[in-house]
Amino acid sequence: MQNNTDNDTIVAIATPLGVGGIGVVRVSGPEAFAVVQSLFSQPHGQHDLPPSHLLTYGQIRDPRTRESIDEVLVAFMKAPRTYTREDVVEIQGHGGPLVLQRILRLVLAQGARMANPGEFTLRAFLNGRLDLAQAEAVMDLIEAQTEAGQRLALQQLRGRVSAQVQEARHAILGVIASIEASIDFPEEEVPIPQSNELTPLLLAAQEQVEALLAGAEQGKLYRQGLRTAIIGRPNVGKSSLLNALLRADRAIVTPVAGTTRDTVEEVANLHGIPLHLIDTAGITPTVDPVEEIGIQRSRAAAETADMVLLIFDSSEELSEQDWLVSQELRALGFDPQVDSRQVVLVVNKIDCPQRLNYEAVRPLWPLAPLVRTSMLTGEGLAQLEETMVSLVTSGKGLHSESALITSTRHRESLRHAAAHLQASLASLHQQLPLDFVSIDLRAAYDALGEITGETASDDLLERIFSEFCIGK
Ligand code: GDP
């Protein structure tokens, strides 16, 4: 982990590796200007440092051979109005990997060193340009999968989460100050605060922390999404439902490579929640060895799902296979009575003559919501989506407009803060000496400080920034 005293000039390719129209090499640190100037030749033999924050045209040349490596636009950006608050230079070259690698090597040869993952953003944090929650938001913004997720990341980047956390910290600090003044200067007639004065202040701070925590469950959904498996015997309409959910909001649908065991995962947009749809081949037991492989995959996918859409075909009677699928699901631990994972029953093909006996279906899953759909006409699809949202928000609906905690780390810190606030209130209530109260208040104050980074350890910083990619 680099610390504040790190004075190196760092460099990295900031655009993705691969062929592109342009690619950017980013340099930051005290020698950034000198390093790039020694490689950069401007038209008409000009040597002056170009104006700050403007693009200047020229060539990158190997200083030993004078060979021209690329035709570029370069932005010299003087500290402190830069991403890292250091001198920064961005070289826009042609986006071929070889060209960018050669520019990178030349910058390294001039004395810069390769940047660690996330080091530009780390420097922005260490130099006070961003707090920790804002630095983390940079990554969330880059990785956002829906517009709602992107909006939340941007709010965090702009400091909305930090502001609410700081407000709660400030309230706690006020109480700590009044307690400690009376402890430290007993003879100076600082009045000893009474528990009936302190209690409402602490309750107010607690309320702020609880409000942030309340949004955290939803924030997690927006960030991590909802893993959903579509399951049913062959021909009930699984693929049709998958396509219908994907088509519902095509503009922001992005196919992603399957993460586990070759199951294909696609991401649809469920009212702003990234809906990771796991395409399963069906989990019906079979004797066919080839099918058996598909079944193993489906099982694995279902095992990790947060939600299962279990489909039945209403144009046919409930079959032995339908029953077996339900058995399989239960064997995998899905049971609305004991499991927090959700099952939604989808009765499909309601446009056809109806043969399904609901009295046979209901006892299989007495507590699961049931939605009737037709993938042919689209009927019931909107209702299915609403049912899913309602289930995952425990009927509260989505509040994408307010600042929401999206990070697990922040949620943990909030939980610690809430527990310490609770303990301090209990000490007050039991009339314990005020030292006891203030110890827990300090701990709550520090826990909140971990979110914004004031009290973050080097280990924590290392962990956070190592998840960034190089060049960010
Ligand atoms: P899967 O095997 O469970 O993935 O089922 P598919 O999605 O491939 O659908 C099987 C067949 O049923 C296809 O011919 C679909 O066009 C048809 N199908 C799916 N949903 C409906 C529906 O709601 N109504 C009607 N009439 N046909 C449907």
Side-chain angles (χ1 to χ4, degrees):
M1 170 77 9
Q2 312 302 316
N3 55 36
N4 315 27
T5 58
D6 180 355
N7 236 353
D8 292 351
T9 293
I10 55 174
V11 60
I13 298 173
T15 40
L17 288 178
V19 179
I22 62 167
V24 174
V25 174
R26 192 190 233 178
V27 192
S28 177
E31 298 302 318
F33 286 7
V35 163
V36 178
Q37 267 196 298
S38 67
L39 307 171
F40 184 47
S41 71
Q42 300 176 57
H44 316 301
Q46 267 194 297
H47 288 296
D48 298 349
L49 181 67
S52 187
H53 288 82
L54 289 179
L55 287 176
T56 305
Y57 169 81
Q59 314 266 333
I60 293 291
R61 285 183 194 280
D62 185 328
R64 284 178 306 125
T65 62
R66 300 304 298 156
E67 182 198 355
S68 176
I69 307 296
D70 195 10
E71 206 178 52
V72 293
L73 288 172
V74 180
F76 290 84
M77 291 175 276
K78 186 107 201 84
R81 277 180 44 232
T82 65
Y83 186 64
T84 55
R85 287 221 168 137
E86 303 172 330
D87 285 349
V88 170
V89 185
E90 286 180 8
I91 306 169
Q92 288 185 13
H94 289 96
L98 186 65
V99 173
L100 294 174
Q101 290 289 350
R102 286 189 76 183
I103 297 175
L104 176 71
R105 277 207 296 276
L106 288 178
V107 174
L108 289 169
Q110 294 302 306
R113 77 160 161 78
M114 197 60 209
N116 294 318
E119 195 171 1
F120 292 95
T121 309
L122 173 66
R123 287 186 173 199
F125 165 67
L126 292 174
N127 293 327
R129 158 119 158 54
L130 301 169
D131 69 28
L132 196 53
Q134 290 174 305
E136 289 171 288
V138 172
M139 193 158 64
D140 290 351
L141 190 59
I142 294 167
E143 292 178 353
Q145 294 173 335
T146 66
E147 286 176 26
Q150 180 247 333
R151 187 166 61 233
L152 288 173
L154 192 62
Q155 283 176 351
Q156 186 175 324
L157 179 59
R158 290 198 173 143
R160 192 153 162 196
V161 166
S162 307
Q164 291 190 4
V165 170
Q166 291 300 14
E167 212 175 297
R169 278 190 105 207
H170 192 76
I172 296 170
L173 190 63
V175 183
I176 295 175
S178 74
I179 291 176
E180 293 188 351
S182 72
I183 294 172
D184 293 347
F185 310 104
E187 67 286 356
E188 296 203 4
E189 303 200 354
V190 175
I192 295 174
Q194 300 300 306
S195 95
N196 61 359
E197 295 167 335
L198 295 178
T199 305
L201 297 176
L202 285 185
L203 285 174
Q206 192 181 37
E207 203 172 301
Q208 285 171 328
V209 172
E210 293 294 342
L212 279 165
L213 262 178
E217 277 308 312
Q218 251 179 55
K220 185 174 142 205
L221 266 181
Y222 278 117
R223 177 150 180 229
Q224 297 180 354
L226 187 68
R227 284 177 61 77
T228 303
I230 301 176
I231 285 171
R233 68 166 167 79
N235 237 22
V236 288
K238 294 181 298 297
S239 314
S240 307
L241 175 58
L242 178 91
N243 287 328
L245 286 168
L246 289 174
R247 219 174 292 126
D249 209 337
R250 195 159 221 173
I252 23 188
V253 164
T254 46
V256 295
T259 42
T260 52
R261 283 160 262 199
D262 295 337
T263 49
V264 176
E265 240 185 77
E266 302 206 62
V267 187
N269 182 330
L270 178 71
H271 298 204
I273 301 171
L275 186 67
H276 296 257
L277 292 165
I278 311 160
D279 196 4
T280 63
I283 56 173
T284 339
T286 174
V287 285
D288 178 345
V290 178
E291 254 185 70
E292 183 64 29
I293 296 170
I295 289 161
Q296 294 293 352
R297 285 184 194 146
S298 302
R299 262 184 216 145
E303 252 172 340
T304 61
D306 305 309
M307 186 180 277
V308 165
L309 305 179
L310 177 57
I311 312 200
F312 298 91
D313 179 346
S314 66
S315 69
E316 293 181 14
E317 287 174 21
L318 194 73
S319 72
E320 165 97 14
Q321 267 188 318
D322 285 315
W323 187 81
L324 286 172
V325 170
S326 278
Q327 290 306 104
E328 271 300 325
L329 261 190
R330 283 192 191 276
L332 291 173
F334 279 89
D335 180 349
Q337 274 166 325
V338 295
D339 194 16
S340 61
R341 294 184 298 173
Q342 314 276 5
V343 177
V344 179
L345 308 182
V346 181
V347 175
N348 190 35
K349 306 198 190 181
I350 56 169
D351 56 284
C352 298
Q354 301 291 287
R355 294 210 187 79
L356 185 72
N357 179 2
Y358 285 78
E359 265 121 61
V361 176
R362 250 302 154 215
L364 290 175
W365 301 94
L367 296 180
L370 185 150
V371 183
R372 292 155 46 85
T373 62
S374 164
M375 293 308 136
L376 196 69
T377 65
E379 203 182 335
L381 194 63
Q383 201 205 333
L384 173 62
E385 292 191 320
E386 266 156 41
T387 303
M388 293 168 75
V389 169
S390 174
L391 267 183
V392 292
T393 60
S394 316
K396 290 190 214 107
L398 290 165
H399 305 282
S400 58
E401 296 311 315
S402 59
L404 293 180
I405 295 287
T406 54
S407 139
T408 315
R409 184 183 82 77
H410 297 175
R411 198 167 64 231
E412 279 310 299
S413 299
L414 282 169
R415 285 215 183 105
H416 288 149
H420 285 296
L421 280 174
Q422 189 60 44
S424 67
L425 276 162
S427 306
L428 258 189
H429 190 67
Q430 294 162 28
Q431 314 248 315
L432 294 178
L434 286 178
D435 297 39
F436 283 87
V437 180
S438 85
I439 285 172
D440 274 308
L441 287 179
R442 278 254 163 236
Y445 182 74
D446 286 347
L448 292 178
E450 281 179 1
I451 297 176
T452 46
E454 272 97 338
T455 53
S457 65
D458 277 359
D459 281 356
L460 178 62
L461 294 182
E462 164 115 44
R463 196 148 29 93
I464 290 170
F465 286 98
S466 64
E467 285 175 20
F468 276 60
C469 30
I470 291 186
K472 296 296 174 309

